């Protein structure tokens, strides 16, 4: 497949017909192709990178060379692009791969992609390094099941400079797509939207600044919402895009701390690497073992496909990203780790709350306010809390006014934080006949 107007299309037209894009006849040819496609073409869903057919329990993976690997849980078949009505549109920089039979003891994914990550440990981290590795590995396998993930978690690595955050995303991207994959900085909103609408996996690097539009767009990307833009060079014509992209973020001091965004983060903490390998050596290892990595991926993915075909057990979770939680639970069951995975989801929920409340002025004021024992279990309105928190903020130089500068804004902020606060406090909320909310806070033991 070739997108009309893109460089590979232009090169093919020149090769076949000797027409350069600057020639007038080229424009006539393009117009005729578009008309023929509209009048005679069969409308077909076009996929990128991978597609899972949940009705027939078959996974299709583009090998970037006009062929598709078809996994049905029993066998792996290499078929032409378009067979079975499955059509992939690749990208120019995606590189082909081939798979082989692996020995039972041959392992590449964890030693190359997971074990080198220096996950943080200690009392300040909610999940141990092994627990973080398990969730990250499940996230890697979930990348192939976009069709059953209308909502997707935002894979987020947080750590200091020198912790290898950018390299983590580069290694998975180069494994899946080839050596040209790279992380990208966040610049303008239009560039961000173009990236998430036109790619299967995007990794944004050093997302530390305060960007006014970022929380809104992250929420859209995670929930599968639509992005509507005005078409260029028109006055009122709109174009609607539906991102179907897995999003990765890394940061040292992240600012995307809105409650609806925090609850959709897969949070990983990393520490400064004690010894550093050169990036050349890391990527050379992936280049040399890319076919081995893919061989193990497809072998394990075929086992997951077989399990999904027979696993009808219902799953209920309190975790916000229920689509991913359900898939992750079923993937974990293939390794007899379902109960462990549920425990890790609960820990991840606490980690999300810690992330949201860390350095939050409202949470900081609440901690000071509860140091006065007469406030423990005391019933107050949000308006009363706002007055008392304002006084605390002035005395202790807490920037409360930066996040809420009125009683109504404070009430909305407190309401959004309540679920996260409940991980650390007993929070009782009562609503009277006039819809007025009363709060009681008691620290948990």
């Amino acid at each position: 497949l070739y997108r009309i107007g893109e460089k590979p299309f232009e090169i093919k037209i020149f090769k076949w017909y000797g027409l350069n894009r600057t020639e007038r006849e080229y424009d006539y040819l393009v117009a005729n192709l578009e008309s023929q496609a509209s009048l005679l073409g069969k409308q077909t869903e076009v996929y990128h990178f991978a597609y899972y057919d949940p009705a027939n329990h078959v996974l299709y993976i583009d090998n970037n060379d006009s062929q598709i690997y078809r996994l049905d849980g029993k066998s792996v078949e290499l078929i032409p692009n378009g067979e079975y009505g499955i059509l992939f549109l690749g990208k120019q920089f995606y590189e082909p791969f081939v798979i082989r039979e692996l020995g039972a003891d041959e392992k590449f994914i964890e030693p190359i992609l997971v074990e080198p990550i220096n996950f943080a440990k200690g009392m300040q981290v909610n999940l141990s390094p092994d627990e973080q590795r398990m969730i990250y590995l499940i996230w890697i396998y979930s990348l192939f099941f976009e069709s059953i993930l209308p909502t997707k978690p935002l894979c987020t690595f947080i750590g200091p400079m020198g912790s290898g955050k950018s390299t983590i995303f580069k290694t998975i991207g180069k494994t899946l797509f080839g050596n040209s994959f790279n992380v990208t900085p966040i610049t303008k909103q239009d560039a961000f939207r173009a990236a998430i609408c036109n790619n299967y996996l995007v990794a944004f690097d050093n997302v530390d600044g305060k960007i006014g539009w970022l929380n809104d767009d992250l929420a859209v990307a995670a929930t599968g919402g639509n992005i509507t833009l005005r078409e260029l060079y028109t006055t009122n014509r709109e174009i609607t895009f539906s991102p179907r992209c897995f999003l990765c973020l890394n940061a040292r001091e992240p600012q995307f701390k809105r409650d609806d965004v925090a609850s959709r983060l897969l949070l990983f903490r990393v520490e400064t690497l004690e010894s550093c390998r050169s990036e050349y050596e890391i990527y050379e290892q992936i280049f040399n073992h890319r076919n081995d990595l893919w061989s193990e991926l497809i072998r394990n993915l075929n086992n997951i496909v077989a399990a999904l075909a027979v696993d009808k057990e219902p799953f209920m979770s309190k975790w916000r990203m229920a689509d991913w939680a359900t898939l992750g639970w079923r993937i974990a069951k293939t390794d007899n780790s379902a109960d462990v995975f549920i425990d890790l989801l609960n820990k991840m929920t606490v980690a999300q709350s810690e992330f949201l409340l860390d350095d939050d002025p409202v949470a900081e004021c609440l901690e000071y306010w509860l140091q006065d024992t007469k406030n423990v279990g005391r019933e107050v309105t949000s308006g009363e809390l706002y007055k008392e928190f304002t006084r605390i903020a002035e005395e202790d130089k807490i920037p409360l006014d930066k996040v809420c500068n009125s009683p109504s804004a404070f009430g909305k902020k407190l309401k959004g934080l309540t679920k996260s606060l409940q991980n650390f406090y007993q929070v009782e909320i009562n609503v009277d006949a006039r819809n007025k909310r009363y709060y009681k806070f008691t620290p948990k033991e």
Side-chain angles (χ1 to χ4, degrees), residues 63-78:
N63 86 330
N64 309 319
D65 193 23
S66 300
Q67 293 176 305
I68 307 168
Y69 283 103
R70 182 180 185 272
L71 289 65
D72 63 3
K74 300 175 183 177
S75 61
V76 177
E77 182 183 7
L78 188 62

Side-chain angles (χ1 to χ4, degrees), residues 277-384:
R277 295 168 62 200
S278 72
E279 288 202 6
Y280 174 83
E281 182 183 341
I282 293 169
Y283 305 145
E284 184 73 7
Q285 182 185 35
I286 290 174
F287 178 80
N288 291 333
H289 290 288
R290 186 164 179 256
N291 290 335
D292 299 322
L293 287 160
W294 264 110
S295 298
E296 187 180 355
L297 274 172
I298 285 185
R299 181 186 67 186
N300 296 344
L301 285 166
N302 210 23
N303 292 334
I304 292 170
V305 169
L308 293 179
V310 298
D311 189 352
K312 306 302 180 184
E313 186 178 358
F315 178 70
M316 299 295 292
S317 170
K318 295 180 181 179
W319 206 54
R320 184 75 175 269
M321 304 297 286
D323 294 321
W324 190 86
T326 301
L327 174 62
W329 178 67
R330 299 194 192 284
I331 292 173
K333 288 170 74 174
T334 64
D335 195 31
N336 298 316
S337 302
D339 292 339
V340 175
F341 181 74
I342 292 172
D343 290 339
L344 298 191
L345 284 184
N346 294 331
K347 287 188 174 184
M348 183 62 74
T349 300
V350 176
Q352 292 169 340
S353 299
E354 290 175 343
F355 170 80
L356 179 64
L357 299 177
D358 185 36
D359 295 328
D360 183 87
V362 173
E364 195 172 351
C365 286
L366 177 62
E367 188 174 348
Y368 277 100
W369 185 74
L370 286 171
Q371 288 177 6
D372 187 342
T373 56
K374 72 174 186 296
N375 291 326
V376 175
R378 172 187 160 208
E379 189 173 70
V380 289
T381 66
S382 62
E384 291 170 333

Side-chain angles (χ1 to χ4, degrees), residues 139-340:
W139 175 80
I140 290 175
Y141 288 114
S142 73
L143 294 174
F144 295 84
F145 297 91
E146 189 279 334
S147 63
I148 56 174
L149 294 174
T151 58
K152 304 173 185 63
L154 305 170
C155 183
T156 305
F157 276 79
I158 299 173
M161 183 175 64
S163 54
K165 302 184 299 297
S166 303
T167 304
I168 293 166
F169 292 146
K170 289 178 185 177
T171 55
I172 184 62
K174 290 179 185 295
T175 297
L176 298 181
F177 305 111
N179 199 47
S180 296
F181 182 90
N182 211 333
V183 296
T184 182
I186 286 187
T187 53
K188 296 181 179 180
Q189 186 178 27
D190 287 349
F192 176 89
R193 290 179 168 181
I196 66 173
C197 289
N198 289 285
N199 291 279
Y200 193 90
L201 175 73
V202 180
F204 290 103
D205 198 27
N206 296 323
V207 189
D208 290 291
K210 292 185 178 180
I211 305 170
W213 49 265
L214 184 59
N215 278 311
D216 287 337
D217 280 24
L218 287 177
V220 169
T223 58
N226 292 331
I227 294 176
T228 300
L229 303 172
R230 183 177 65 83
E231 186 176 2
L232 291 176
Y233 314 116
T234 65
T235 54
N236 57 7
R237 190 184 306 159
E238 291 184 337
I239 304 177
T240 299
F241 299 93
S242 300
R244 298 171 65 176
C245 175
F246 287 90
L247 211 57
C248 306
L249 310 164
N250 74 56
R252 285 175 289 176
E253 297 180 359
Q255 304 297 319
F256 41 92
K257 288 194 171 188
R258 205 169 69 188
D259 58 293
D260 61 330
V261 173
S263 63
R264 293 179 167 91
L265 300 179
L266 271 185
L267 279 168
F268 301 99
R269 302 276 182 174
V270 287
E271 297 175 328
T272 303
L273 293 164
E274 295 179 3
S275 59
C276 299
R277 295 168 62 200
S278 72
E279 288 202 6
Y280 174 83
E281 182 183 341
I282 293 169
Y283 305 145
E284 184 73 7
Q285 182 185 35
I286 290 174
F287 178 80
N288 291 333
H289 290 288
R290 186 164 179 256
N291 290 335
D292 299 322
L293 287 160
W294 264 110
S295 298
E296 187 180 355
L297 274 172
I298 285 185
R299 181 186 67 186
N300 296 344
L301 285 166
N302 210 23
N303 292 334
I304 292 170
V305 169
L308 293 179
V310 298
D311 189 352
K312 306 302 180 184
E313 186 178 358
F315 178 70
M316 299 295 292
S317 170
K318 295 180 181 179
W319 206 54
R320 184 75 175 269
M321 304 297 286
D323 294 321
W324 190 86
T326 301
L327 174 62
W329 178 67
R330 299 194 192 284
I331 292 173
K333 288 170 74 174
T334 64
D335 195 31
N336 298 316
S337 302
D339 292 339
V340 175

